[in-house]
Amino acid sequence: MVAAGVIGLWYLFTYFVLDRDQQFFLPPLHRVVNVGFLTWTNLEQVLLGLWRTTQVTLVGLALAIVGGMAIAVIMSQARWIERSVFPYAVALQAVPIVAISPLIGLWWGWDFQSQVVVTIIISIFPIITNTLFGLRSVEPSMHDLLTLHGAGRWTRFRKLQLPHALPAIFTGFRISAGLAVVGAIVGEFFFKGGTYGTEGLGQLLFLFQNQLSGSKLVAGIVFSSLLGVILFWFFGWAGRRLTSHWYSV
């Protein structure tokens, strides 16, 4: 029912709201399917772009997970470390990418590496905050119990804090999964290195926009959204598998 309503609104907006010379902004669904999905040359171009964007997304997200969890674990060990480091994490999240893109390009080049750096910057903050929240949310009585048994810092982290934090950690992963796709596409907008067959979806969306090719533009948007949904679903599934004995994720 919802899908039928969305399709109906789509056609209504295309044919009754937009003028005929404006319909390239939002072409009707059947034209998008025909041009973007049933025309092999167009579909091949978008799929190649999807593969390139997927590589940037996965590499950037993996590095964001490793770096974000490491930062959160370090901050969880002492309040003074958290107070010293956390403002920089907030500043990194708040800094506009367009303002620092020249520096990123100078330091890491104008192709894949810089795209990955942008992906990390955009996706790392939810991992830091959710992991830190999970590690900090253990009840003091549980810490007291381990203290009575003479547990060290590593044992306390491995057997108490990390298992307790898993639901929050995977929530951060799911949030960052969608942000990583956005980061990859934004990075490809700014750093357009590559030739035909190596352009990511961000570069293709920019190209389709300049060509006023609405059907291919919508097809690219659909594939980028699908990538985000798949990653979001994967981390939800992984979280349930790992924590189903204790929590409902």
Side-chain angles (χ1 to χ4, degrees):
M1 291 294 293
V2 175
V6 170
I7 293 173
L9 288 174
W10 186 337
Y11 276 100
L12 179 67
F13 190 84
T14 299
Y15 287 112
F16 295 99
V17 177
L18 296 177
D19 295 332
R20 182 175 296 273
D21 59 348
Q22 295 178 325
Q23 289 183 2
F24 65 87
F25 288 117
L26 186 65
L29 178 60
H30 65 272
R31 192 183 304 165
V32 173
V33 172
N34 182 54
V35 175
F37 294 91
L38 299 182
T39 303
W40 172 245
T41 54
N42 296 335
L43 180 60
E44 180 185 26
Q45 186 180 23
V46 174
L47 289 177
L48 289 172
L50 175 64
W51 170 238
R52 170 73 175 195
T53 300
T54 301
Q55 295 177 61
V56 176
T57 300
L58 294 180
V59 173
L61 182 58
L63 293 175
I65 288 173
V66 173
M69 290 190 65
I71 293 171
V73 169
I74 292 172
M75 287 195 295
S76 70
Q77 301 305 303
R79 289 289 183 182
W80 70 268
I81 299 178
E82 179 182 348
R83 288 193 295 268
S84 300
V85 175
F86 197 74
Y88 294 99
V90 175
L92 183 65
Q93 174 70 13
V95 66
I97 295 297
V98 65
I100 63 172
S101 58
L103 293 177
I104 296 174
L106 289 173
W107 292 340
W108 284 285
W110 300 90
D111 199 356
F112 185 83
Q113 289 182 327
S114 291
Q115 294 165 8
V116 169
V117 170
V118 173
T119 304
I120 294 171
I121 292 173
I122 291 180
S123 63
I124 195 172
F125 190 72
I127 297 172
I128 295 174
T129 54
N130 281 271
T131 302
L132 181 61
F133 169 78
L135 295 174
R136 288 288 195 190
S137 62
V138 179
E139 296 181 4
S141 60
M142 300 299 294
H143 282 290
D144 294 339
L145 180 62
L146 288 183
T147 300
L148 289 174
H149 287 80
R153 186 183 295 270
W154 169 244
T155 302
R156 189 188 304 269
F157 171 78
R158 181 170 55 90
K159 293 189 175 181
L160 176 61
Q161 289 180 285
L162 184 59
H164 184 86
L166 282 178
I169 291 172
F170 275 95
T171 298
F173 289 173
R174 284 187 288 177
I175 296 171
S176 292
L179 291 176
V181 177
V182 174
I185 292 175
V186 169
E188 289 164 352
F189 262 101
F190 286 115
F191 307 105
K192 298 181 176 65
T195 57
Y196 178 82
T198 65
E199 311 101 326
L201 283 179
Q203 295 152 290
L204 291 179
L205 293 177
F206 183 79
L207 175 65
F208 298 155
Q209 174 184 296
N210 290 339
Q211 294 175 344
L212 302 181
S213 179
S215 298
K216 292 193 285 187
L217 181 64
V218 173
I221 293 172
V222 169
F223 277 110
S224 62
S225 300
L226 184 61
L227 175 59
V229 169
I230 291 174
L231 290 174
F232 183 90
W233 174 86
F234 170 77
F235 283 112
W237 170 82
R240 287 190 296 271
R241 293 281 294 181
L242 288 174
T243 65
S244 59
H245 296 294
W246 303 284
Y247 303 99
S248 176
V249 179

